Structure formats: structure tokens, C-alpha cells
Amino acid sequence: MDSTNTLHWMHISDLHRGQERTEEVWSVVRQEIHADIKAQIERAGTIDLVVFSGDMAFSGAAHEFSSVQKELELLWAMFAELGFAPKLFIVPGNHDLVRPSKTSALLNFADILRLKEDVRDELLDDESSPYRSELNAAFENYTGFLRNVQASGIPLVVDKAGIFPGDSSSRISVNGLNVGLVGLNSAWTHLGKGELKGKLDISVRQLNALVDNDLPCWSMQNHVNLLVTHHPISWLNPESIEEFEGKIFIPEYFDAHMYGHMHDNHPEISSVGAHNRRVIQAASLFGLEKIKGVIDRRHGYYFARLSAETNICWFWPRRFEKKVGNVWQVAADSQLLSRDERHFEQPWKVREVKGVYLKKA
């Protein structure tokens, strides 16, 4: 299959490695995932990029991250057998940190930082701040995990690190396309238990630190730009939503916002003036079906293939289902598809890059 001017990726999220009562069936689920990836490669060609949008671990423990790394090594060993090695891009989730103690100053300020701008400014701007030290300590196992993944030979892409652990940007070249990736840590105020929807913070300063304070210049060097967080915008506080929409996820510069956390596949396009605001939510890769006895989680992931020749993106949403006999199997996510279809399409115009011309197929 001709891959010229295409980007083929897999988006996974919310593995929750270390969660109780999941280990006994994980080997079967892993086998299903690997078989499904091989089938997808036959359908659409080799995979160029894997995006993991957080919650790899369950409690941020070092041994959980070691288990995640082993799973990634098995996955990339399978890719190597098939003759390729996709890039890996990761952001942290709220399960990828070790929660601070109840007496933590940072924890007690986390949901009121917009009322404590001096504290917020110190946290964002002062590397020697005790608040920053607390935050770095909470994500210490995660940052160690990143170093170990890079040392393992898995092609983790982190060209530039940012203010908080997990903030990163990269630019990769794929099949004639320049692809820009920005990952923002959206979990730096998701430090405690309880209902935090609508209370999380994010800052444009996180973004600016990754793009040399010039998002337009950075973005216009790429045919495709993807913004990745763990949380959707609905989990941010009102001030952060305004900042995110007006200063971070600007549709002229980012083609899509990709995230997890909500445990369901869900792609959506909305119009913002002359531009499209595209959000793509990935389901929980695996975990418990039930919370407090209620089934409210769907497990799965999706593949996507974007073509600059047609300005169309094909999506293959995948879902784990219990078949007859309570056997886990992966199949097309029928809730997002029509009748017997395996994929759906969305328009996606690939931007032109000055001085960089697309290859001819």
C-alpha cells in the first residue's frame, strides 16, 4: 500500500496497569490487541505513530511503570518482527502521579490557584519553588519511566521538555509529511481524590515553553499539528477553559486535540469561524468494567490514517466486547459505525508548508 503523504497512527489511553482484578485476563487482551494491530497493518499499511494519552499506571508506583514498559517492549518487538518501528508520544494522566500527602501545600492550593495568582505564578515560573519541587516529586516515577523507555530503544519522541513533567513537543517526518506534536500535562492539579471535574488548571505558559513562545511560527512548519492532553476541556475550570480555547487549542494552528480519561471512543468536529475544531477521545485501553457496581466504562482504542492527497482521515474505532462464554474479543466499535462498516471518514485538510512540497505518489 502506497504510504506517500500519509500519517497512520494508533491512539491508546488509560491502561491503568496495576489496577486490581485485571491482571488475570490481561494476557488474553494483549493477544487480541496484537492480532488486531497486525490486521490493521494489512488494511492500511504500517503504523507511523502511537499516541498514549496518559494513565499508563494506576497509582504512579515504580513497579507499575516497570510493567507498562514491559508491555511497550513486547509491542515494539512485534512491530520489529513486522519490519518497522513507529514513534511513541506520551503524556501523563492523573493515575501516573503519586498523590501528595494530605498536608501538602500544593494539594491544598490545587483547586483554588486561579484565586491565588501569586502561588500559581510561582509554580509556573520559579523552578526553585517548593510548590514545583512537590509537583516534580509527585511525577518522579513517571519521569523515571520516560528515561527507562528511551534507554530501552523504543523510539520515544521528546525533542523539547517543558515547565512541568510530561510537557513536551516534537517534530517528526513521516512519509513526506512534517508532523508537530505538543503534549501538555493536564494532571498537575489533579492531585487528590474527589470530584474534580470543572476544577483543573492549565496554562498557556506550558505551551509557550514548548514552541519558543511562537505558536504560529512553530505550527506553520508542519503539515499536521496534534495537541495531546490526558483530560478533555470539560475537566478544566472556567478560567482555564477560556485560556485553553483562546490561547492554546487555536484551530488555525492545531488540527486536533487528542485525549483520554473519559473511557470512550468519540471523535467530534465543530466549526470555529473558518476553521474546524477537531477533538478525538480514546477509550480506556483496559481496566475494570464497573465503578460502584455500575457499568460505565468502554474499553478500546482507535486507528486513524490521514491522507494529504485526499484531505480525508479514515478512523477505525475498536472496542473490547465480552462474547458468548464471557470471552474478551476486540471488534469494530459499532456505536460509531453504520451497519456493517469497519471505519468512517472525516474531512481533514492538510496545511501547506512554505518551502516544503509534498512528494508525488
Side-chain angles (χ1 to χ4, degrees):
M1 177 175 292
D2 187 7
S3 61
T4 306
N5 302 331
T6 64
L7 173 64
H8 185 196
W9 75 88
M10 179 183 186
H11 183 187
I12 57 179
S13 194
D14 296 80
L15 173 59
H16 301 136
R17 198 77 177 124
Q19 187 175 24
E20 63 179 1
R21 301 196 308 278
T22 59
E23 180 65 28
E24 60 266 25
V25 296
W26 171 247
S27 62
V28 175
V29 172
R30 179 205 296 131
Q31 185 67 22
E32 283 288 306
I33 293 172
H34 286 203
D36 193 47
I37 290 172
K38 291 177 181 178
Q40 175 66 15
I41 292 167
E42 293 179 0
R43 287 190 292 263
T46 56
I47 295 170
D48 308 302
L49 173 68
V50 176
V51 174
F52 204 148
S53 57
D55 277 4
M56 287 151 277
F58 185 66
S59 64
H63 72 273
E64 294 173 354
F65 283 118
S66 294
S67 181
V68 175
Q69 181 176 336
K70 290 178 182 177
E71 293 301 328
L72 293 176
E73 290 173 352
L74 288 172
L75 184 56
W76 259 260
M78 183 197 71
F79 290 142
E81 291 177 1
L82 298 173
F84 67 99
K87 305 295 186 184
L88 173 63
F89 190 70
I90 295 178
V91 297
N94 53 290
H95 282 275
D96 295 322
L97 61 92
V98 177
R99 287 175 174 161
S101 68
K102 293 181 180 180
T103 59
S104 159
L106 179 61
L107 175 63
N108 287 289
F109 277 127
D111 62 347
I112 56 170
L113 283 174
R114 291 287 175 163
L115 301 176
K116 300 286 186 180
E117 285 293 339
D118 54 340
V119 176
R120 187 171 184 269
D121 288 342
E122 180 180 323
L123 180 61
L124 285 161
D125 300 334
D126 185 356
E127 294 183 6
S128 63
S129 165
Y131 302 113
R132 182 79 71 85
S133 296
E134 277 199 70
L135 187 64
N136 290 341
F139 285 96
E140 184 176 1
N141 290 337
Y142 172 78
T143 54
F145 162 72
L146 295 183
R147 290 192 297 269
N148 292 337
V149 169
Q150 286 182 309
S152 75
I154 294 172
L156 177 69
V157 287
V158 183
D159 294 344
K160 190 177 183 67
I163 293 174
F164 296 145
D167 288 344
S168 68
S169 65
S170 297
R171 183 177 287 116
I172 61 176
S173 180
V174 177
N175 305 324
L177 298 178
N178 289 344
V179 181
L181 299 164
V182 168
L184 299 181
N185 183 339
S186 63
W188 59 278
T189 56
H190 197 157
L191 303 176
K193 298 180 180 180
E195 180 53 66
L196 294 177
K197 184 175 182 181
K199 297 181 180 180
L200 303 186
D201 206 338
I202 204 164
S203 172
V204 68
R205 279 176 271 184
Q206 293 175 255
L207 170 65
N208 286 338
L210 299 170
V211 296
D212 297 322
N213 291 300
D214 195 338
L215 176 59
C217 179
W218 183 89
S219 69
M220 291 312 211
Q221 298 176 57
N222 309 315
H223 298 98
V224 180
N225 290 306
L226 303 175
L227 173 64
V228 186
T229 66
H230 175 64
H231 296 86
I233 190 174
S234 61
W235 277 69
L236 303 178
N237 61 48
E239 295 86 356
S240 292
I241 289 176
E242 182 177 349
E243 189 165 341
F244 188 81
E245 290 185 331
K247 299 178 181 179
I248 299 175
F249 183 32
I250 303 173
E252 184 176 357
Y253 305 127
F254 282 112
D255 299 286
H257 173 209
M258 301 165 61
Y259 57 88
H261 191 65
M262 301 303 291
H263 308 146
D264 201 356
N265 288 320
H266 184 63
E268 184 179 35
I269 298 178
S270 61
S271 295
V272 181
H275 303 281
N276 287 326
R277 177 165 276 153
R278 182 180 292 105
V279 296
I280 311 174
Q281 174 182 301
S284 170
L285 185 62
F286 201 64
L288 294 180
E289 285 184 279
K290 300 182 180 182
I291 299 179
K292 296 180 180 179
V294 179
I295 297 177
D296 64 351
R297 290 187 168 182
R298 281 155 42 84
H299 304 305
Y301 47 90
Y302 73 86
F303 303 102
R305 189 174 191 267
L306 172 63
S307 168
E309 301 290 337
T310 61
N311 286 317
I312 291 175
C313 191
W314 292 267
F315 291 88
W316 289 266
R318 313 297 290 164
R319 180 184 179 185
F320 287 110
E321 298 177 342
K322 276 189 176 179
K323 301 294 186 178
V324 175
N326 289 321
V327 176
W328 284 100
Q329 291 185 351
V330 64
D333 191 341
S334 58
Q335 292 193 18
L336 295 176
L337 301 168
S338 297
R339 298 183 175 86
D340 295 327
E341 291 181 351
R342 299 178 64 90
H343 73 274
F344 63 90
E345 302 174 4
Q346 285 185 350
W348 187 320
K349 184 173 176 55
V350 174
R351 71 170 47 76
E352 297 179 359
V353 177
K354 186 177 181 179
V356 180
Y357 300 98
L358 296 177
K359 298 177 182 179
K360 293 185 179 180

